[in-house]
Amino acid sequence: MKTQDLQTIKNWLKEADALVITAGAGMGVDSGLADYRGEEGGQWGQVEAETEKTVFETVNPAAFLENPAYSWDLFGKRMEEYENTQPHQGFYILKEWIEKFNLDYFVITSNIDSHFQKAGFEEEKIRELHGSLAYFQSSNPKLSNKIWKTELTGKVIRLGIYDNRFPMCPYSKVMARPNVYMFRDDTFVNTRTKAQEQNFQTFLKANEGKNIIVFEIGSGPHVQAVRMKTRLLKNKYKANVVRINPKDFKIKPPHIGIDTGALQALSEIHSFVEKK
């Protein structure tokens, strides 16, 4: 990384009032999690290889009801991975900057793994664009639109599949589903994510006219939900943006693009920030 870029980022941190993290699947790669469309196909490539169908055909509410054993096994595996994986040191570097520079902050992520919560970021300061595997809802929201935090583990869910036992909604008495936004999803209950969006709007109002630095990490152009938030902050709120992505890192100056993974980039910046 160029010394000039490192110095600029250090200056931005020192001058900032608030820090926003906009994170995609690439944020979890250094923790050992697969991204969705990586060099070896990622999670979606694996699903397509197993089913010989596109993810649009297999990861949607209709397919979930038609083949609950496959669907719950798929999500159960993801839950096990998330439960058994720890957030990498990059999460804690970001937390350290928030404390060191006395920054207000907010996290916007397309990830459904709850790793920001696991790393100690406040629940009220996280916007999960696609929901979370830690929460379930009814597969038929016309019968109940309640969302609850599940006590089931991925392992327990996968063991139940052998006996055709699937998680049930305690309110509607029909099969549950993860409160995760799938493809072609017309049954996702968005009350939790809407409340998170309101928290984000409150954050923006509180920081209007202030200096904001954005670290966009591991989010490519294929999932625009994260990058739309980055653009909003860059264009409307005049935020300084640091884009970290091994491939899709380009961004117009004065913003800075870094062509490495999350942990490497954050560690290198942190080492420079800590220099006297």
Side-chain angles (χ1 to χ4, degrees), residues 103-118:
L103 303 174
D104 194 4
Y105 76 91
F106 209 89
V107 176
I108 300 171
T109 180
S110 58
N111 298 335
I112 59 175
D113 54 23
S114 299
H115 271 206
F116 280 101
Q117 288 93 331
K118 190 182 279 191

Side-chain angles (χ1 to χ4, degrees), residues 132-152:
S132 169
L133 263 181
Y135 290 83
F136 286 178
Q137 62 166 84
S138 174
S139 59
N140 187 344
K142 292 181 180 178
L143 298 177
S144 173
N145 64 356
K146 292 183 181 294
I147 299 169
W148 68 95
K149 191 167 187 176
T150 183
E151 296 181 357
L152 298 173

Side-chain angles (χ1 to χ4, degrees), residues 203-214:
F203 165 85
L204 289 176
K205 189 173 182 180
N207 288 283
E208 194 168 0
K210 296 184 180 180
N211 290 329
I212 300 174
I213 182 170
V214 177

Side-chain angles (χ1 to χ4, degrees), residues 63-157:
F64 198 96
L65 294 174
E66 290 167 8
N67 193 351
Y70 177 80
S71 299
W72 275 116
D73 187 57
L74 176 67
F75 283 108
K77 285 178 183 175
R78 295 290 89 80
M79 289 175 68
E80 280 193 84
E81 289 172 14
Y82 299 157
E83 291 157 2
N84 297 325
T85 305
Q86 295 303 314
H88 60 75
Q89 189 60 31
F91 286 85
Y92 300 97
I93 288 172
L94 290 163
K95 279 194 69 188
E96 191 170 329
W97 292 341
I98 289 164
E99 294 167 8
K100 179 183 179 71
F101 296 105
N102 192 29
L103 303 174
D104 194 4
Y105 76 91
F106 209 89
V107 176
I108 300 171
T109 180
S110 58
N111 298 335
I112 59 175
D113 54 23
S114 299
H115 271 206
F116 280 101
Q117 288 93 331
K118 190 182 279 191
F121 290 82
E122 298 175 54
E123 182 74 46
E124 294 76 18
K125 290 183 175 290
I126 300 173
R127 168 76 162 97
E128 293 161 306
L129 296 167
H130 296 161
S132 169
L133 263 181
Y135 290 83
F136 286 178
Q137 62 166 84
S138 174
S139 59
N140 187 344
K142 292 181 180 178
L143 298 177
S144 173
N145 64 356
K146 292 183 181 294
I147 299 169
W148 68 95
K149 191 167 187 176
T150 183
E151 296 181 357
L152 298 173
T153 64
K155 183 177 181 179
V156 167
I157 289 170

